[in-house]
mmCIF file of all heavy atoms in Angstrom:
data_model
loop_
_atom_site.group_PDB
_atom_site.id
_atom_site.type_symbol
_atom_site.label_atom_id
_atom_site.label_comp_id
_atom_site.label_asym_id
_atom_site.label_seq_id
_atom_site.Cartn_x
_atom_site.Cartn_y
_atom_site.Cartn_z
ATOM 1 N N THR Q 15 0.158 16.053 -1.902
ATOM 2 C CA THR Q 15 -1.167 16.484 -2.436
ATOM 3 C C THR Q 15 -2.322 15.695 -1.838
ATOM 4 O O THR Q 15 -3.485 15.962 -2.104
ATOM 5 C CB THR Q 15 -1.264 16.530 -3.891
ATOM 6 O OG1 THR Q 15 -0.913 15.144 -4.279
ATOM 7 C CG2 THR Q 15 -0.182 17.334 -4.604
ATOM 8 N N SER Q 16 -2.036 14.833 -0.970
ATOM 9 C CA SER Q 16 -3.101 13.866 -0.383
ATOM 10 C C SER Q 16 -3.874 14.606 0.727
ATOM 11 O O SER Q 16 -3.411 15.685 1.150
ATOM 12 C CB SER Q 16 -2.359 12.601 0.214
ATOM 13 O OG SER Q 16 -1.616 13.006 1.384
ATOM 14 N N THR Q 17 -5.036 14.098 1.031
ATOM 15 C CA THR Q 17 -5.919 14.711 1.968
ATOM 16 C C THR Q 17 -5.504 14.264 3.367
ATOM 17 O O THR Q 17 -6.002 14.732 4.351
ATOM 18 C CB THR Q 17 -7.322 14.367 1.697
ATOM 19 O OG1 THR Q 17 -7.590 13.028 1.748
ATOM 20 C CG2 THR Q 17 -7.767 14.884 0.308
ATOM 21 N N LEU Q 18 -4.577 13.303 3.448
ATOM 22 C CA LEU Q 18 -4.148 12.790 4.747
ATOM 23 C C LEU Q 18 -2.677 12.894 4.878
ATOM 24 O O LEU Q 18 -1.981 12.699 3.768
ATOM 25 C CB LEU Q 18 -4.551 11.323 4.927
ATOM 26 C CG LEU Q 18 -6.015 10.991 4.967
ATOM 27 C CD1 LEU Q 18 -6.335 9.399 4.812
ATOM 28 C CD2 LEU Q 18 -6.785 11.488 6.159
ATOM 29 N N ASP Q 19 -2.229 13.139 6.020
ATOM 30 C CA ASP Q 19 -0.754 13.102 6.316
ATOM 31 C C ASP Q 19 -0.597 12.434 7.724
ATOM 32 O O ASP Q 19 -1.077 13.020 8.685
ATOM 33 C CB ASP Q 19 -0.082 14.385 6.257
ATOM 34 C CG ASP Q 19 1.436 14.367 6.113
ATOM 35 O OD1 ASP Q 19 1.963 13.314 6.236
ATOM 36 O OD2 ASP Q 19 1.974 15.443 6.128
ATOM 37 N N TRP Q 20 0.042 11.350 7.695
ATOM 38 C CA TRP Q 20 0.051 10.566 8.984
ATOM 39 C C TRP Q 20 1.065 11.207 10.019
ATOM 40 O O TRP Q 20 1.729 12.198 9.575
ATOM 41 C CB TRP Q 20 0.364 9.157 8.809
ATOM 42 C CG TRP Q 20 -0.751 8.612 8.004
ATOM 43 C CD1 TRP Q 20 -0.724 8.254 6.676
ATOM 44 C CD2 TRP Q 20 -2.073 8.194 8.254
ATOM 45 N NE1 TRP Q 20 -1.890 7.828 6.102
ATOM 46 C CE2 TRP Q 20 -2.839 7.714 7.202
ATOM 47 C CE3 TRP Q 20 -2.674 8.157 9.579
ATOM 48 C CZ2 TRP Q 20 -4.150 7.236 7.327
ATOM 49 C CZ3 TRP Q 20 -3.995 7.716 9.659
ATOM 50 C CH2 TRP Q 20 -4.689 7.305 8.524
ATOM 51 N N CYS Q 21 1.159 10.659 11.092
ATOM 52 C CA CYS Q 21 2.068 11.160 12.253
ATOM 53 C C CYS Q 21 3.500 11.207 12.046
ATOM 54 O O CYS Q 21 4.205 11.829 12.789
ATOM 55 C CB CYS Q 21 1.675 10.609 13.525
ATOM 56 S SG CYS Q 21 1.963 8.743 13.538
ATOM 57 N N GLU Q 22 3.937 10.484 10.980
ATOM 58 C CA GLU Q 22 5.429 10.367 10.819
ATOM 59 C C GLU Q 22 5.892 11.561 10.084
ATOM 60 O O GLU Q 22 5.232 12.039 9.055
ATOM 61 C CB GLU Q 22 5.611 9.123 9.937
ATOM 62 C CG GLU Q 22 7.130 8.776 9.786
ATOM 63 C CD GLU Q 22 7.227 7.346 9.035
ATOM 64 O OE1 GLU Q 22 6.309 6.649 8.861
ATOM 65 O OE2 GLU Q 22 8.420 7.090 8.691
ATOM 66 N N GLU Q 23 7.039 12.157 10.397
ATOM 67 C CA GLU Q 23 7.614 13.282 9.624
ATOM 68 C C GLU Q 23 8.016 12.809 8.293
ATOM 69 O O GLU Q 23 8.391 11.728 7.970
ATOM 70 C CB GLU Q 23 8.950 13.812 10.383
ATOM 71 C CG GLU Q 23 8.616 14.579 11.567
ATOM 72 C CD GLU Q 23 9.840 15.272 12.095
ATOM 73 O OE1 GLU Q 23 10.367 16.149 11.221
ATOM 74 O OE2 GLU Q 23 10.251 14.890 13.174
ATOM 75 N N ASN Q 24 7.730 13.755 7.327
ATOM 76 C CA ASN Q 24 8.105 13.456 5.947
ATOM 77 C C ASN Q 24 9.479 13.594 5.574
ATOM 78 O O ASN Q 24 10.163 14.512 5.864
ATOM 79 C CB ASN Q 24 7.166 14.305 4.983
ATOM 80 C CG ASN Q 24 5.733 14.190 5.330
ATOM 81 O OD1 ASN Q 24 5.327 13.130 5.910
ATOM 82 N ND2 ASN Q 24 4.890 15.146 4.958
ATOM 83 N N TYR Q 25 9.986 12.618 4.726
ATOM 84 C CA TYR Q 25 11.318 12.707 4.088
ATOM 85 C C TYR Q 25 12.455 12.836 5.062
ATOM 86 O O TYR Q 25 13.390 13.535 4.865
ATOM 87 C CB TYR Q 25 11.322 13.819 3.127
ATOM 88 C CG TYR Q 25 10.372 13.732 1.888
ATOM 89 C CD1 TYR Q 25 9.291 14.475 1.762
ATOM 90 C CD2 TYR Q 25 10.566 12.638 0.929
ATOM 91 C CE1 TYR Q 25 8.461 14.335 0.777
ATOM 92 C CE2 TYR Q 25 9.686 12.492 -0.042
ATOM 93 C CZ TYR Q 25 8.605 13.307 -0.165
ATOM 94 O OH TYR Q 25 7.731 13.155 -1.220
ATOM 95 N N VAL Q 26 12.327 12.197 6.215
ATOM 96 C CA VAL Q 26 13.344 12.147 7.196
ATOM 97 C C VAL Q 26 14.489 11.243 6.848
ATOM 98 O O VAL Q 26 15.714 11.573 6.910
ATOM 99 C CB VAL Q 26 12.786 11.964 8.659
ATOM 100 C CG1 VAL Q 26 13.914 11.792 9.679
ATOM 101 C CG2 VAL Q 26 11.933 12.982 9.008
ATOM 102 N N VAL Q 27 14.130 9.928 6.548
ATOM 103 C CA VAL Q 27 15.089 8.894 6.423
ATOM 104 C C VAL Q 27 15.700 8.961 4.943
ATOM 105 O O VAL Q 27 16.869 8.832 4.733
ATOM 106 C CB VAL Q 27 14.497 7.486 6.675
ATOM 107 C CG1 VAL Q 27 15.473 6.404 6.398
ATOM 108 C CG2 VAL Q 27 14.119 7.480 8.151
ATOM 109 N N SER Q 28 14.815 9.231 3.978
ATOM 110 C CA SER Q 28 15.247 9.226 2.523
ATOM 111 C C SER Q 28 14.439 10.407 1.726
ATOM 112 O O SER Q 28 13.369 10.637 2.070
ATOM 113 C CB SER Q 28 14.815 7.899 1.962
ATOM 114 O OG SER Q 28 15.073 7.980 0.481
ATOM 115 N N SER Q 29 15.032 10.953 0.819
ATOM 116 C CA SER Q 29 14.483 11.944 0.001
ATOM 117 C C SER Q 29 13.432 11.312 -0.924
ATOM 118 O O SER Q 29 12.784 12.031 -1.677
ATOM 119 C CB SER Q 29 15.449 12.830 -0.664
ATOM 120 O OG SER Q 29 16.148 12.120 -1.545
ATOM 121 N N TYR Q 30 13.474 10.070 -1.084
ATOM 122 C CA TYR Q 30 12.612 9.303 -2.063
ATOM 123 C C TYR Q 30 11.384 8.652 -1.466
ATOM 124 O O TYR Q 30 10.466 8.313 -2.135
ATOM 125 C CB TYR Q 30 13.383 8.149 -2.784
ATOM 126 C CG TYR Q 30 14.455 8.725 -3.676
ATOM 127 C CD1 TYR Q 30 15.735 8.643 -3.198
ATOM 128 C CD2 TYR Q 30 14.214 9.193 -4.814
ATOM 129 C CE1 TYR Q 30 16.768 9.021 -3.948
ATOM 130 C CE2 TYR Q 30 15.252 9.680 -5.658
ATOM 131 C CZ TYR Q 30 16.520 9.656 -5.246
ATOM 132 O OH TYR Q 30 17.579 10.159 -5.981
ATOM 133 N N ILE Q 31 11.415 8.754 -0.065
ATOM 134 C CA ILE Q 31 10.182 8.014 0.524
ATOM 135 C C ILE Q 31 9.733 9.058 1.652
ATOM 136 O O ILE Q 31 10.384 9.431 2.622
ATOM 137 C CB ILE Q 31 10.696 6.663 1.322
ATOM 138 C CG1 ILE Q 31 11.196 5.793 0.310
ATOM 139 C CG2 ILE Q 31 9.458 6.179 2.063
ATOM 140 C CD1 ILE Q 31 11.704 4.437 0.917
ATOM 141 N N ALA Q 32 8.471 9.431 1.524
ATOM 142 C CA ALA Q 32 7.927 10.537 2.419
ATOM 143 C C ALA Q 32 7.772 9.965 3.815
ATOM 144 O O ALA Q 32 8.235 10.565 4.817
ATOM 145 C CB ALA Q 32 6.518 10.927 1.834
ATOM 146 N N GLU Q 33 7.154 8.856 4.004
ATOM 147 C CA GLU Q 33 6.841 8.178 5.347
ATOM 148 C C GLU Q 33 7.572 6.820 5.273
ATOM 149 O O GLU Q 33 6.949 5.888 4.925
ATOM 150 C CB GLU Q 33 5.376 8.124 5.702
ATOM 151 C CG GLU Q 33 4.686 9.375 5.701
ATOM 152 C CD GLU Q 33 3.231 9.233 5.914
ATOM 153 O OE1 GLU Q 33 2.642 8.201 5.583
ATOM 154 O OE2 GLU Q 33 2.672 10.238 6.336
ATOM 155 N N PHE Q 34 8.835 6.856 5.758
ATOM 156 C CA PHE Q 34 9.700 5.700 5.623
ATOM 157 C C PHE Q 34 9.144 4.462 6.283
ATOM 158 O O PHE Q 34 8.967 3.400 5.759
ATOM 159 C CB PHE Q 34 11.040 5.977 6.169
ATOM 160 C CG PHE Q 34 12.050 4.883 6.066
ATOM 161 C CD1 PHE Q 34 12.605 4.629 4.666
ATOM 162 C CD2 PHE Q 34 12.354 3.939 6.952
ATOM 163 C CE1 PHE Q 34 13.460 3.568 4.527
ATOM 164 C CE2 PHE Q 34 13.177 2.975 6.736
ATOM 165 C CZ PHE Q 34 13.764 2.723 5.471
ATOM 166 N N TRP Q 35 8.777 4.594 7.510
ATOM 167 C CA TRP Q 35 8.349 3.382 8.325
ATOM 168 C C TRP Q 35 6.987 2.888 7.916
ATOM 169 O O TRP Q 35 6.624 1.683 7.891
ATOM 170 C CB TRP Q 35 8.472 3.595 9.902
ATOM 171 C CG TRP Q 35 9.937 3.855 10.200
ATOM 172 C CD1 TRP Q 35 10.561 4.940 10.720
ATOM 173 C CD2 TRP Q 35 10.880 2.774 10.113
ATOM 174 N NE1 TRP Q 35 11.836 4.747 10.891
ATOM 175 C CE2 TRP Q 35 12.111 3.378 10.484
ATOM 176 C CE3 TRP Q 35 10.985 1.452 9.785
ATOM 177 C CZ2 TRP Q 35 13.384 2.637 10.608
ATOM 178 C CZ3 TRP Q 35 12.139 0.798 9.812
ATOM 179 C CH2 TRP Q 35 13.270 1.484 10.282
ATOM 180 N N ASN Q 36 6.134 3.866 7.648
ATOM 181 C CA ASN Q 36 4.809 3.533 7.023
ATOM 182 C C ASN Q 36 4.915 2.752 5.689
ATOM 183 O O ASN Q 36 4.220 1.763 5.485
ATOM 184 C CB ASN Q 36 3.879 4.592 6.845
ATOM 185 C CG ASN Q 36 3.252 5.210 8.176
ATOM 186 O OD1 ASN Q 36 3.198 4.360 9.127
ATOM 187 N ND2 ASN Q 36 2.822 6.375 8.208
ATOM 188 N N THR Q 37 5.813 3.124 4.900
ATOM 189 C CA THR Q 37 6.110 2.507 3.684
ATOM 190 C C THR Q 37 6.697 1.152 3.788
ATOM 191 O O THR Q 37 6.153 0.131 3.336
ATOM 192 C CB THR Q 37 7.098 3.338 2.716
ATOM 193 O OG1 THR Q 37 6.452 4.605 2.667
ATOM 194 C CG2 THR Q 37 7.393 2.772 1.476
ATOM 195 N N VAL Q 38 7.754 1.007 4.636
ATOM 196 C CA VAL Q 38 8.461 -0.288 4.806
ATOM 197 C C VAL Q 38 7.496 -1.299 5.446
ATOM 198 O O VAL Q 38 7.536 -2.533 5.151
ATOM 199 C CB VAL Q 38 9.777 -0.110 5.664
ATOM 200 C CG1 VAL Q 38 10.313 -1.459 6.029
ATOM 201 C CG2 VAL Q 38 10.742 0.754 4.807
ATOM 202 N N SER Q 39 6.697 -0.928 6.409
ATOM 203 C CA SER Q 39 5.819 -1.792 7.153
ATOM 204 C C SER Q 39 4.777 -2.469 6.133
ATOM 205 O O SER Q 39 4.125 -3.421 6.556
ATOM 206 C CB SER Q 39 5.071 -1.101 8.259
ATOM 207 O OG SER Q 39 4.167 -0.080 7.805
ATOM 208 N N ASN Q 40 4.624 -1.863 4.994
ATOM 209 C CA ASN Q 40 3.613 -2.519 4.037
ATOM 210 C C ASN Q 40 4.120 -3.694 3.384
ATOM 211 O O ASN Q 40 3.375 -4.437 2.750
ATOM 212 C CB ASN Q 40 3.329 -1.417 2.991
ATOM 213 C CG ASN Q 40 2.220 -0.559 3.506
ATOM 214 O OD1 ASN Q 40 1.078 -0.904 3.863
ATOM 215 N ND2 ASN Q 40 2.482 0.752 3.539
ATOM 216 N N LEU Q 41 5.485 -4.030 3.593
ATOM 217 C CA LEU Q 41 5.988 -5.338 3.030
ATOM 218 C C LEU Q 41 5.203 -6.492 3.594
ATOM 219 O O LEU Q 41 4.970 -7.503 2.814
ATOM 220 C CB LEU Q 41 7.429 -5.414 3.353
ATOM 221 C CG LEU Q 41 8.377 -4.587 2.561
ATOM 222 C CD1 LEU Q 41 9.816 -4.662 3.014
ATOM 223 C CD2 LEU Q 41 8.293 -4.986 1.057
ATOM 224 N N ILE Q 42 4.721 -6.424 4.787
ATOM 225 C CA ILE Q 42 4.005 -7.505 5.380
ATOM 226 C C ILE Q 42 2.557 -7.652 4.703
ATOM 227 O O ILE Q 42 1.947 -8.718 4.734
ATOM 228 C CB ILE Q 42 3.786 -7.271 6.905
ATOM 229 C CG1 ILE Q 42 3.408 -8.514 7.676
ATOM 230 C CG2 ILE Q 42 2.641 -6.261 7.284
ATOM 231 C CD1 ILE Q 42 4.592 -9.463 7.869
ATOM 232 N N MET Q 43 2.126 -6.593 4.022
ATOM 233 C CA MET Q 43 0.818 -6.737 3.227
ATOM 234 C C MET Q 43 1.082 -7.072 1.776
ATOM 235 O O MET Q 43 0.199 -7.226 1.026
ATOM 236 C CB MET Q 43 0.113 -5.334 3.283
ATOM 237 C CG MET Q 43 -0.433 -4.997 4.655
ATOM 238 S SD MET Q 43 -1.726 -6.095 5.118
ATOM 239 C CE MET Q 43 -3.060 -5.384 3.970
ATOM 240 N N ILE Q 44 2.375 -7.264 1.369
ATOM 241 C CA ILE Q 44 2.714 -7.529 0.032
ATOM 242 C C ILE Q 44 3.262 -8.970 -0.171
ATOM 243 O O ILE Q 44 2.726 -9.764 -0.920
ATOM 244 C CB ILE Q 44 3.628 -6.515 -0.720
ATOM 245 C CG1 ILE Q 44 3.229 -5.130 -0.650
ATOM 246 C CG2 ILE Q 44 4.063 -6.784 -1.990
ATOM 247 C CD1 ILE Q 44 4.147 -3.959 -0.863
ATOM 248 N N LEU Q 45 4.360 -9.298 0.568
ATOM 249 C CA LEU Q 45 4.969 -10.608 0.406
ATOM 250 C C LEU Q 45 4.249 -11.821 0.881
ATOM 251 O O LEU Q 45 4.004 -12.709 0.069
ATOM 252 C CB LEU Q 45 6.346 -10.464 1.028
ATOM 253 C CG LEU Q 45 7.307 -9.422 0.446
ATOM 254 C CD1 LEU Q 45 8.558 -9.427 1.307
ATOM 255 C CD2 LEU Q 45 7.509 -9.530 -0.897
ATOM 256 N N PRO Q 46 3.698 -11.894 2.092
ATOM 257 C CA PRO Q 46 2.899 -13.066 2.443
ATOM 258 C C PRO Q 46 1.660 -13.318 1.599
ATOM 259 O O PRO Q 46 1.487 -14.439 1.188
ATOM 260 C CB PRO Q 46 2.502 -12.687 3.889
ATOM 261 C CG PRO Q 46 3.548 -11.756 4.405
ATOM 262 C CD PRO Q 46 3.861 -10.939 3.256
ATOM 263 N N PRO Q 47 0.863 -12.258 1.207
ATOM 264 C CA PRO Q 47 -0.217 -12.665 0.175
ATOM 265 C C PRO Q 47 0.272 -13.193 -1.079
ATOM 266 O O PRO Q 47 -0.465 -14.031 -1.678
ATOM 267 C CB PRO Q 47 -0.929 -11.260 0.102
ATOM 268 C CG PRO Q 47 -0.611 -10.521 1.263
ATOM 269 C CD PRO Q 47 0.873 -10.898 1.659
ATOM 270 N N ILE Q 48 1.437 -12.802 -1.610
ATOM 271 C CA ILE Q 48 1.866 -13.289 -2.813
ATOM 272 C C ILE Q 48 2.283 -14.742 -2.630
ATOM 273 O O ILE Q 48 1.966 -15.563 -3.489
ATOM 274 C CB ILE Q 48 3.038 -12.358 -3.334
ATOM 275 C CG1 ILE Q 48 2.626 -11.104 -3.843
ATOM 276 C CG2 ILE Q 48 3.833 -13.203 -4.487
ATOM 277 C CD1 ILE Q 48 3.718 -10.125 -4.244
ATOM 278 N N TYR Q 49 2.933 -15.012 -1.563
ATOM 279 C CA TYR Q 49 3.189 -16.414 -1.179
ATOM 280 C C TYR Q 49 1.888 -17.220 -1.102
ATOM 281 O O TYR Q 49 1.851 -18.357 -1.638
ATOM 282 C CB TYR Q 49 3.975 -16.478 0.203
ATOM 283 C CG TYR Q 49 4.215 -17.921 0.607
ATOM 284 C CD1 TYR Q 49 5.317 -18.697 0.015
ATOM 285 C CD2 TYR Q 49 3.576 -18.450 1.615
ATOM 286 C CE1 TYR Q 49 5.460 -19.961 0.374
ATOM 287 C CE2 TYR Q 49 3.744 -19.782 2.035
ATOM 288 C CZ TYR Q 49 4.821 -20.586 1.444
ATOM 289 O OH TYR Q 49 5.004 -21.803 1.862
#
Side-chain angles (χ1 to χ4, degrees):
T15 58
S16 65
T17 60
L18 297 170
D19 192 1
W20 299 100
C21 58
E22 190 175 345
E23 281 191 67
N24 298 339
Y25 299 109
V26 172
V27 177
S28 170
S29 63
Y30 294 101
I31 300 176
E33 297 175 338
F34 184 80
W35 294 111
N36 282 339
T37 301
V38 171
S39 66
N40 280 298
L41 284 174
I42 200 77
M43 291 288 291
I44 298 171
L45 299 178
I48 290 174
Y49 176 76

